Amino acid sequence: MPSSSRAALGVCFTVGVLAASLSTPLLAQSPAAQSGKEITIDRLFRPPSLGGRTTQGIEWAPDSKRFSYLDRQGSGQNAELQLWTMDAATGERSVLVSAATLKSVMQPEKANTSQSTGLGRVQADNYLWSPDDNSLLFIGSNSLVLLDLKTMTPKSILSSEQEIEDPKFSPDSHWISFSRNANLFVVNISSGAVTALTTGGSEELLKGKLDWVYPEELDTRTAYWWSPDSTKIAYYEMDERPVTRYPIMDMSSPTGGTEYTRYPQAGEANPVVRVGVVRISGGETKWLDTGKDTDVYLARVNWLPDSRRVAIQRLHRAQDQLDLLFADADTGASKTILTESDKYWINISDDLYFFSDNKRFLWSSERTGYRHFYLYDTDGKELAQLTSGEWAISDLGGFGPGSANHPAVDEASGYIYFTTNKDNVRETQLYRVSLSDKSLTRITKDAGSHAAKIAPDASAFIDTYSTAATPSRQDLYRMDGTKVAVVNEGKVPELAEYKLSPLEFVEVTADDGTKLNASIIKPLNFDPAKKYPVLINVYGGPHVQLVRNTWGGLRYLLDQVYAAKGCILFTLDNRGSWGRGHAFETLVYHHMGKIELQDQLAGVKYLKSLGYVDPARIGITGGSYGGYMTLEALFNAPEVFKLGVSDAPVTDWKLYDTIYTERYMGRPQDNADGYKDSSPVNQAEYLKAKLMLVHGTGDDNVHFANSVELLNAMIDGGHYPDQFMAFPGRGHGISDPAARRLEIQRTVEFVLGNL
């Protein structure tokens, strides 16, 4: 599933003795006292947002002396968008591009892809800095405008009838590259000449353009890469012809319109991917040797600093072996530099970094059970393990230059900066490790969650910080942790007007003694002598961690709506979820849903041990993998739950995509029993609780077919959901305000009416 929303569950089993214990509660103090008014759903959907607002469009200038950001000045309809900068040394603000100039260069926004997943869930850039700091590129759906920062003169670089995708500057700032009609092009900035680097691209054969499954399940963000010397581009060619052309019907269309997505379901054929190198001066593509087996994933591509070699990370289809290859850009010949293998699966990271000496590179691995940094020479010899211990480098916080979650390396000073949950598994902090003596230094201090956008030269960072009870704020810091200036206080004064219940972090003990992190929000005006219903929020799947000391936004505020009506809100991170090391998550291998539900039931046992919980009134709700877990709970522990709300669930793992599903389940051809036991559609007959099912008909991720298959199974067993909400044309995660509000309103009514 997506890294932000996965799906899964299955299997009937008998739960043994489940021990549960409460640790000393850690309170995430509410920003409001217990006096004031109650938050309503109506207020949640009226501006201004109660969830706070973070500054958008933040980009570091390549020289690291300042960063830019978008901000509106004024109020209401008179508010005008301007591009500002903040000085990294002093925190001084100034307007870089005035509202009038910005209007002349800002391009029409790209088509709304908020209902889409794959690459559609990645926010497109509004603008880019040129590497030489002299200009800004403003990006439209079919046009590119360059603004000279010395003269403030705009220049149209390209206007096209077709959509322009993934534009980039060359490292020397002389060219702009882009993808159009599944082919790669470059524009000479000086002359304006456009050159096609590839031909023959199509919907079936993508050149320099990503498919659906790579960005969704491997977090790939681009399909081409400039060489450091700006003479060549390496790119993916993705042959989609073997992949199922999956139809998504628009049933609201008078003619029954259909949109097709190349979607490889578990066990089916994947795209055949290869990496080629083409010169800007023209000529044929040189294809790089990645081995005879084409049924693999070429998960990451990077240039070495010498611009002669390309690093390719080749992941076997079973995802239990990862090879790092170095390929010669001129001859295509390659050799294997190192190999990682794992009994279960390998999680891909973005931690590969090549030092400018062209002799060493940084690598990360979970070979010890926790992701840590290693230093290698370019012959593949391990020079040092830089970090160690029962904690992991995190992918939930910081990111350096380039792509999200990439470590920031200060070669001059010999430091690597990264985020980690080393001190508290519920938090993320910015750390650095010394290359010389491996010493660790914590940079951020405040308890909570930090995400650091680090300057290209690693001299400063913008910290986005929050806790479970306080909205995100943004501040500018030097790398020694000294605050320079406030970027955005993130305060929401109106929150003080409402009654808000504090969130408590608690600990539950699973049947094998494993300590599980959980959180609880008690009702307003809580009285321990009373009995309260409980609503469990669940996700439960790989690569997601719900119990964190971070601002939850709408989810947290919606929990407050329930708390105001007398509900207890409970969330638990079961084994199989993220943040606790590789061994903690691999227990789901080849049989999803079993260990997750076992731990969720340990949470239920803990809840029942509390004198103020009504054991007859426990409900469960979740979306995507959480929707799957909701069904697993209702079908496999039918006496435990009174109701469930399942949003966009996977109901049959054979219907989900290859990369995600096979990573954990193997292929259905090889694990038929595991697929059967792990798919809720096969246990629907055991349902006793009330069920609300929600799904968008245009979901390109967890297809609507999952809910249709479940409905058929329920009908065959004489059942039907107590409520079924189908949202025409909506995608994975109902996102447009009107539909989202209706979904939440009906869900709240269903939960409160039955609990």
Side-chain angles (χ1 to χ4, degrees), residues 574-594:
N574 50 252
R575 284 170 290 177
S577 60
W578 197 242
R580 300 278 298 274
H582 195 44
F584 189 82
E585 65 172 354
T586 55
L587 292 168
V588 304
Y589 187 64
H590 278 198
H591 214 146
M592 298 179 92
K594 180 175 181 178

Side-chain angles (χ1 to χ4, degrees), residues 184 223-226 232-236 275-278 301 303 310:
L184 270 179
Y224 74 93
W225 303 263
W226 278 95
K232 300 178 283 290
I233 288 179
Y235 69 94
Y236 282 143
V275 178
V277 173
V278 62
V301 177
W303 282 92
V310 178

Side-chain angles (χ1 to χ4, degrees), residues 534-536 616-622 627 629-635 637-647 684 686-694 710 714 719-724 746-755:
V534 178
L535 181 63
I536 297 173
R617 292 189 292 160
I618 297 177
I620 186 168
T621 179
M629 283 297 301
T630 296
L631 296 178
E632 283 292 293
L634 299 187
F635 298 168
E639 307 294 340
V640 174
F641 300 96
K642 187 173 183 181
L643 67 79
V645 180
S646 177
D647 185 350
Y686 301 110
L687 176 67
K688 292 185 178 180
K690 291 184 177 296
L691 171 64
M692 178 177 179
L693 184 63
V694 181
L710 177 65
M714 294 183 70
H719 296 293
Y720 200 78
D722 296 87
Q723 282 200 30
F724 176 44
R746 291 291 177 87
T747 300
V748 171
E749 291 171 356
F750 179 78
V751 170
L752 296 180
N754 290 287
L755 281 187

